[in-house]
Amino acid sequence: MTAKTSTTEMVDPVPGAAAPHLPQRTELVQLLTPEGDRVEHPDYSLDISGDELRSLYRDLALVRRWDLEATALQRQGELGIWASLLGQEAAQIGAGRAMAESDMAFPTYREHGVAWTRGVDPLHVISLFRGVDNGGWDPVATGFNLYTVVIGAQTLHATGYAMGLQRDGAESAALAFLGDGATSQGEVNEAMIWAASFSAPVVFFCQNNQYAISVPLERQSRVPLYQRAAGFGFPGVRVDGNDVLAVLAVTKAALAAAREGQGPTFIEAFTYRMGAHTTSDDPTRYRLASELEEWKLRDPIARLKAHLSRGGVADTAFFTGIEAEADELAARIRSGTLEMPDPAPAAMFDFVYAEQTPQLAQQRADFVQYHASFEEGEH
């Protein structure tokens, strides 16, 4: 006889894992407090006009409305899935607006805000989640690569692209987006090794939204993520990801350094995912409602609105106009989504390669013949 034994998962206790907290100001770059007050940082200054501030607010508000409309469409069965950016608007808009026209962004599947700043039509993103194409925008024309669902793979793409820029003598940079969960992936670490070894003009922009899918950051890393960059031999910086001005300033500086030949930078945008990981996720299973309420007080849009209102940069008419524009955008997204035609079945062969191979052409012909046989009554 053998005695019954029970196994219990052993998890090392992690100090401070019980509740979220903002890091100490000494390590967090911030230009706009949660109350909307402008502050200065010794290493990152930002000279910005009233028009630019209002434009940033418009970006934030419209992208959030796009996100809310897409979430509603998925709940109504019109999209297969949706990855919400709710709460992360400032990180994405700030980073996207920091890019030069010739720079190239390499997104995950959540960078709707960056897509907006690069001129990608929201319906071209929606079509991907509706399943009618693989992404309807031109990466070359927009400087915004196609969405990448394989976690962390886009960092390798960005590093390789940056090494190509380097060899072409181009004064441009690559901006690779990733989440905190992706930092545990081998591809990300491999990308950073290559980027450091070749001083590639690439910036790694990590949106630390605290949870990956359902695992809190404290279970993945014993040190702040930005400190990992030192182990690869390049700078790391942590920025308040809910402060669009700080993100803009930090990302501008990192991209400028990359273009000037100073090599990569790792940016950790300390933010929070206020929604689910995707519409297939239930965040109530792994986080407390009180935690979400705490982070709502740091809402990136409310923060900038307070700054604009308090400083007399924008009035009620401006905010009312943005709300009306958001309503129009939401209506266009809804109608455009519902009107999207289903693709022809054989269309899935059209964009596999830039030039169709003989093998793929044969597969397409066999596919078309097989489907035609149904119409001819052979089955």
Side-chain angles (χ1 to χ4, degrees), residues 105-121:
F106 289 82
T108 66
Y109 44 79
R110 198 188 304 276
E111 272 68 57
H112 321 313
V114 185
W116 174 270
T117 67
R118 302 303 281 176
V120 175
D121 190 319

Side-chain angles (χ1 to χ4, degrees), residues 2 58 63 66 142 171 175 209 264 268:
T2 56
R58 176 181 177 272
V63 164
W66 166 15
T142 59
E171 296 182 0
L175 184 57
N209 63 20
E268 177 191 357

